[in-house]
Amino acid sequence: MKVEVITLFPGFFEGVFGQSILRRAQEAGALEPCIHDLREFTTDRHGQADDYRYGGGPGMLLRPEPLFGAFERILSKAESRPLVIYPTPQGEPFTQAAADELARQRHLVFLCGHYKGVDQRVVERWVDREYSIGDYVLTGGETAVAVMVDAAVRLIPGVLGDADSARSDSFRSGGLDGPHYTRPDVTRGLRVPGVLVSGHHRNIERWRRATARYLTRRRRPDLIDNKSG
Ligand code: 6GU
């Protein structure tokens, strides 16, 4: 999957793509990131990427011309139309189903807004999906892009090994995942629940389902309410 990002802060993505599973995905040929520095597409002498809003008020907007320039460059090199995503607190909620859709694409382009966002004409001309990652305000789209790319790339077949398989995720099953334990069976006087070391696989399954359902009911009843629960 080719993942292009248009941003004023290209350095942010060095860490994001340089570690762990996103790095392994590149080594495996499953992910090809390309970060575009919006500053390089500015057209005025001062390299100004943002400006005041028409109508007044505090907060700056990303100007349309550098963004149009970046999209035109990206599209001129693309074999087919990529899916263009704009992270914004005004977007639809980004969910596991949305991550599934992104994971099926060959080519994604993310547009990182800053300050008050971007000129609406750019959204209307280029953007296919607007997503929010939660009900809080971030300073820019970069952290949200890191979240969305992580959620999508781990679903590409072959990216995760069996040890961190996506099949048993929280949300795949419609609810939260329960607690897990590893060795040793006692530490600082704290014991692993007896059923897990009993070797009784039906009881272990039953305990895992019960603890997961209990946690979901307590913390995320919204995930159960419409189902038989
Ligand atoms: Cl996608 N962007 C920004 N700037 N803030 C957010 C967000 C996105 N999702 C929640 N808050």
Side-chain angles (χ1 to χ4, degrees):
M1 176 194 286
K2 181 150 194 176
V3 173
E4 307 200 66
V5 184
I6 303 169
T7 174
L8 275 176
F9 302 95
F12 176 90
F13 292 96
E14 286 167 19
V16 171
F17 289 110
Q19 310 278 329
S20 189
I21 284 167
L22 293 187
R23 180 195 186 130
R24 267 200 272 150
Q26 288 166 76
E27 289 163 358
L31 171 65
E32 186 192 339
C34 184
I35 311 302
H36 301 272
D37 185 349
L38 184 58
R39 196 82 58 193
E40 290 173 13
F41 295 90
T42 55
T43 49
D44 66 308
R45 283 192 304 133
H46 307 291
Q48 192 187 338
D50 58 353
D51 210 338
Y52 295 100
R53 287 183 285 158
Y54 278 118
M60 308 283 274
L61 283 190
L62 295 186
R63 306 173 68 190
E65 283 105 325
L67 290 168
F68 278 127
F71 276 112
E72 284 152 12
R73 163 90 62 83
I74 288 169
L75 267 290
S76 72
K77 292 181 175 172
E79 289 156 27
S80 57
R81 177 82 158 76
L83 191 73
V84 178
I85 299 128
Y86 173 45
T88 165
Q90 278 68 246
E92 291 175 50
F94 183 73
T95 60
Q96 191 66 46
D100 287 333
E101 190 204 15
L102 300 196
R104 289 192 298 268
Q105 307 297 313
R106 296 232 321 264
H107 188 180
L108 300 176
V109 177
F110 289 93
L111 162 58
C112 295
H114 250 269
Y115 322 114
K116 273 282 170 199
V118 307
D119 188 287
Q120 184 64 21
R121 290 167 290 187
V122 176
V123 177
E124 281 162 18
R125 176 71 181 78
W126 287 112
V127 172
D128 300 305
R129 304 278 185 277
E130 296 179 62
Y131 285 127
S132 163
I133 63 162
D135 292 341
Y136 39 77
V137 178
L138 305 168
T139 55
E142 283 78 7
T143 41
V145 169
V147 167
M148 291 189 263
V149 170
D150 187 298
V153 168
R154 64 188 292 286
L155 299 175
I156 299 173
V159 165
L160 292 189
D162 220 44
D164 32 29
S165 166
R167 284 190 298 278
S168 62
D169 286 345
S170 282
F171 297 110
R172 276 278 156 255
S173 62
L176 304 185
D177 199 2
H180 303 288
Y181 298 85
T182 187
R183 290 185 295 177
D185 65 340
V186 188
T187 177
R188 306 294 191 274
L190 302 169
R191 255 179 205 293
V192 171
V195 60
L196 296 180
V197 293
S198 68
H200 193 304
H201 293 291
R202 274 191 40 217
N203 283 354
I204 290 172
E205 240 346 277
R206 208 175 292 150
W207 182 88
R208 284 183 171 161
R209 272 201 305 272
T211 52
R213 182 166 303 181
Y214 173 76
L215 205 61
T216 308
R217 276 212 173 286
R218 234 184 35 176
R219 294 191 182 161
R220 295 297 305 276
D222 57 298
L223 296 177
I224 291 181
D225 278 353
N226 310 327
K227 306 197 187 88
S228 53

